[in-house]
Amino acid sequence: MKKIVKNGTIVTAADTFQGEILIEGGKITQVGTNLNAIGAEIIDAKGCLVFPGGIDPHTHLDMPFGGTVTKDDFETGTVAAAFGGTTTIIDFCLTNKGEPLKNAIQTWHEKSRDKAVIDYGFHLMISEINQDVLNELPQVIAEEGITSFKVFMAYKHVFQADDETLFRTLVTAKDLGALVMVHAENGDVIDYLTKKALAEGNTAPIYHALTRPAELEGEATGRAARFAGLAGSQLYVVHVSCAEAVKQIAEARSKGFDVWGETCPQYLVLDQSYLEKPNFEGAKYVWSPPLREKWNQDVLWNALKSGQLQTLGSDQCSFDFNGQKDLGRDDFTKIPNGGPIIEDRLSILFSEGVKKGRISLNQFVDLTSTRAAKLFGLFPKKGTIAVGTDADLVIFDPNVERVLSAETHHMAVDYNAFEGLKVTGEPVSVLVRGEYVVRDKQFVGKPGSGQYLKRAKYSRNTQISQNETLSI
Ligand code: URP
Ligand code: ZN
Ligand code: ZN
C-alpha cells in the first residue's frame, strides 16, 4: 500500500528539512511537499523527526559464547531492535577451524531465516587462513554478499587469531574488496593477567576490568592499524572503549590509513565502577573490552563529534543475570561477556548526544545509520532518505521522556544495563521497506519478514560524499 509521511522534520546525515515522503512498493519514490497519491495512507509525523532506519553493524544473536548461548535470538533481538528504531542489523557469523565457511554461513541462515523482523546481513569470522579458506572467500563475497571479515585479537583459546592470520586476512581483503573488522585487545597478555589474578584469589567481576587494561586495547588497535597500513588494506575497529585506542585510530587516519572506529553506548554512559556493584551485580557490566574509567567518556564523545570514530554499534550480546552471568560467581573469567543494548542504541545517543549538545542531529543519523551503510556496502539502498532507497523509516518523538528499564524493554533478558537511565526521545513508528514493524509503539511485524542482505564490496570512494571530507 502507498503511504505518505507528512508533517515531520526529515533528518539525513547531511540535511534537516520539513518535507513529505511518498512510499510505493517498499521504496521511497518522492521526497517533497504537498505530495499526493490516490489511495495513499497518510502517516502523520507532526512534532516528530523522521530518520532513516538505524543500522546496527555489530550484533551477536543466538550465538554460543562463554559456555552458554546469547539469550536474544533473531526474533526477540530484531523485535527489540525495531522498537529502538533499528531496521537493519549485521550479525557475526562464527566459524570453526577446519570446517568449510559455507557450513557456518548455512547455520547463521538457519538461525535467522524465519525469525528476523527487520533486514539483516552477516559478517564472517576468520579464525584461520589456509588454502581452503582462500579458495572459499571469493564465493562468500560473490554468492553470499558477505563483504566484511572479523578477526579477534583476544579470547585466547576460544576465538583469538594470531598476527599472521590478521595480516593475511588484511592482504586478502584488500584483493577481494572486503572490510576487515577487529576486536582489538592483546589476548596473550590478558590471558597471563587473568591467570595471575585467579591464582591470587581475585575472583570478583571487577578483576575482569583490571586484567584487561586500556593499554592492551591501545596496543592491539595500534598493531592492527599498522598492519592495515602495511597491507594497504582497510580496517574497522569494533567497540572502541578508551582514549588509548582512539589515539591509535586518529594517528593511523592522519597517516592516510583506511582505518575506521566504532564505539558503543555502554562506553559512553557506563564506567568501570559499575563492575564493583555489590551482590555480584557487577557481572551485568562485564564486556570486553571492559568499561573504562569515566574520563574516557569525554574522549569518546569528542571522537564522535570530530569524526575520529564514525559509527555506533550495540555489540548486542545478551545473557540473563540469573542462570547465565552467574556462571562466573566464583570466577570472573566464567562470566559470559556482553550485554543487552540493541533496543536502546538510538535513544541513548539521541538523549545523551544530541539533547546534551555533544553531537548534531545530522551526526546522529550518520553515526547510527548512514556511515554503517556506506562502510558495509548497503548505501544508498539503506542509510538515507532519498528517492530510490528502501523506505526504512523511524518516526521519532524527540520530546517524550522515559526511563530505561527491564520492566518495559523488549529484549529477552532479565535486566537492563541502563536501568533507571532517563532518556528524552523515543521511536513512535518504525517501517521496514514501507511496512510497519512498530506502529504507535505496538509491534505489528511478522517473524520471517526480515530480508537477508547481500552487500556490495567495500569502496573507499563511497566513504567520501559531496559535503564531507575525510582526513584519509
Ligand atoms: O563482551 C563482548 N563484547 N561480547 C561480545 C563479543 C565481542 O567481543 O564482541
Ligand atoms: Zn569483541
Ligand atoms: Zn561483539
Side-chain angles (χ1 to χ4, degrees):
M1 188 199 206
K2 293 178 194 173
K3 296 185 178 75
I4 304 178
V5 183
K6 286 189 181 272
N7 306 321
T9 302
I10 298 171
V11 189
T12 69
D15 296 304
T16 306
F17 57 98
Q18 291 298 124
E20 300 178 357
I21 302 167
L22 175 62
I23 303 166
E24 294 174 283
K27 300 270 183 197
I28 294 175
T29 54
Q30 281 189 60
V31 179
T33 49
N34 301 318
L35 299 184
N36 278 305
I38 294 166
E41 175 189 343
I42 304 298
I43 302 175
D44 185 3
K46 192 168 174 10
C48 289
L49 303 172
V50 184
F51 298 137
I55 298 174
D56 189 340
H58 189 157
T59 68
H60 306 275
L61 298 176
D62 198 358
M63 183 181 85
F65 189 36
T68 181
V69 179
T70 59
K71 187 76 191 299
D72 282 288
D73 63 11
F74 276 84
E75 184 169 335
T76 63
T78 57
V79 168
F83 271 105
T86 291
T87 54
T88 297
I89 57 165
I90 313 179
D91 199 81
F92 288 93
C93 169
L94 296 186
T95 54
N96 296 312
K97 280 187 182 169
E99 276 184 26
L101 301 174
K102 69 171 179 353
N103 292 8
I105 297 168
Q106 186 56 29
T107 302
W108 247 254
H109 278 304
E110 281 158 18
K111 286 174 187 282
S112 51
R113 191 174 292 119
D114 298 323
K115 293 196 162 184
V117 307
I118 60 174
D119 290 352
Y120 60 97
F122 303 145
H123 310 289
L124 187 74
M125 173 191 169
I126 302 290
S127 46
E128 60 184 346
I129 291 281
N130 56 34
Q131 203 48 52
D132 290 339
V133 171
L134 290 173
N135 290 344
E136 236 192 309
L137 283 177
Q139 268 167 273
V140 165
I141 291 182
E143 288 168 22
E144 294 288 342
I146 296 180
T147 53
S148 42
F149 305 150
K150 168 79 174 286
V151 178
F152 287 92
M153 301 170 80
Y155 303 127
K156 193 166 170 152
H157 307 307
V158 184
F159 297 147
Q160 187 175 329
D162 59 17
D163 283 353
E164 181 187 344
T165 304
L166 172 57
F167 190 71
R168 291 184 69 186
T169 303
L170 284 158
V171 171
T172 308
K174 183 194 176 190
D175 294 342
L176 296 178
L179 180 58
V180 177
M181 310 168 79
V182 277
H183 173 132
E185 286 187 293
N186 186 317
D188 287 348
V189 179
I190 288 167
D191 188 57
Y192 166 75
L193 293 176
T194 51
K195 281 183 185 145
K196 183 167 176 293
L198 290 178
E200 290 167 357
N202 297 321
T203 59
I206 185 61
Y207 287 96
H208 175 76
L210 298 178
T211 55
R212 305 181 89 98
E215 287 78 2
L216 297 182
E217 186 183 340
E219 182 278 325
T221 304
R223 186 163 24 115
R226 283 178 181 81
F227 288 178
L230 195 59
S233 190
Q234 45 275 345
L235 180 77
Y236 176 98
V237 184
V238 300
H239 52 39
V240 172
S241 75
C242 61
E244 282 82 350
V246 171
K247 182 165 170 267
Q248 296 297 329
I249 292 169
E251 200 172 301
R253 290 173 66 78
S254 73
K255 288 183 195 154
F257 297 173
D258 202 354
V259 174
W260 304 86
E262 163 202 277
T263 191
C264 312
Q266 54 272 36
Y267 302 117
L268 295 169
V269 173
L270 310 176
D271 64 74
Q272 188 179 298
S273 68
Y274 282 71
L275 283 104
E276 293 181 286
K277 283 188 183 266
N279 303 322
F280 192 62
E281 295 253 337
K284 293 177 179 173
Y285 306 96
V286 165
W287 278 277
S288 294
L291 298 177
R292 301 299 186 187
E293 287 175 25
K294 198 164 176 54
W295 62 267
N296 287 277
Q297 292 172 1
D298 284 341
V299 178
L300 297 176
W301 281 114
N302 287 336
L304 291 178
K305 190 178 176 68
S306 68
Q308 296 302 352
L309 294 177
Q310 301 81 21
T311 62
L312 188 82
S314 70
D315 194 10
Q316 164 77 16
C317 188
S318 62
F319 301 101
D320 272 338
F321 179 61
N322 295 301
Q324 292 190 293
K325 285 282 184 181
D326 58 11
L327 291 170
R329 207 168 263 281
D330 302 319
D331 173 349
F332 70 90
T333 65
K334 296 196 167 64
I335 301 169
N337 291 197
I341 320 279
I342 201 166
E343 185 164 350
D344 300 323
R345 184 177 67 107
L346 269 69
S347 289
I348 290 173
L349 191 71
F350 183 82
S351 189
E352 292 289 317
V354 178
K355 282 281 179 182
K356 294 194 174 172
R358 290 162 160 150
I359 55 166
S360 73
L361 206 44
N362 306 102
Q363 284 179 315
F364 167 86
V365 170
D366 204 32
L367 289 162
T368 55
S369 178
T370 313
R371 179 57 61 186
K374 289 179 177 174
L375 287 167
F376 294 105
L378 292 170
F379 190 83
K381 177 181 166 69
K382 307 276 188 196
T384 193
I385 295 175
V387 172
T389 67
D390 281 0
D392 295 349
L393 298 172
V394 183
I395 316 294
F396 191 89
D397 179 344
N399 296 315
V400 64
E401 295 189 347
R402 65 200 174 99
V403 176
L404 301 183
S405 173
E407 281 174 23
T408 47
H409 76 201
H410 302 86
M411 295 176 282
V413 274
D414 61 2
Y415 76 99
N416 187 302
F418 302 96
E419 187 71 36
L421 182 70
K422 289 188 185 129
V423 293
T424 307
E426 183 178 26
V428 177
S429 294
V430 177
L431 293 92
V432 175
R433 285 173 280 101
E435 297 298 328
Y436 281 106
V437 179
V438 173
R439 182 174 193 156
D440 297 328
K441 303 189 189 177
Q442 300 298 317
F443 178 69
V444 294
K446 196 163 122 297
S449 62
Q451 288 184 358
Y452 176 70
L453 296 164
K454 293 187 181 182
R455 296 179 288 115
K457 290 184 180 184
Y458 175 81
S459 153
R460 194 171 182 172
N461 288 341
T462 306
Q463 309 314 321
I464 306 164
S465 66
Q466 309 125 332
N467 57 357
E468 55 189 330
T469 47
L470 292 180
S471 55
I472 57 171

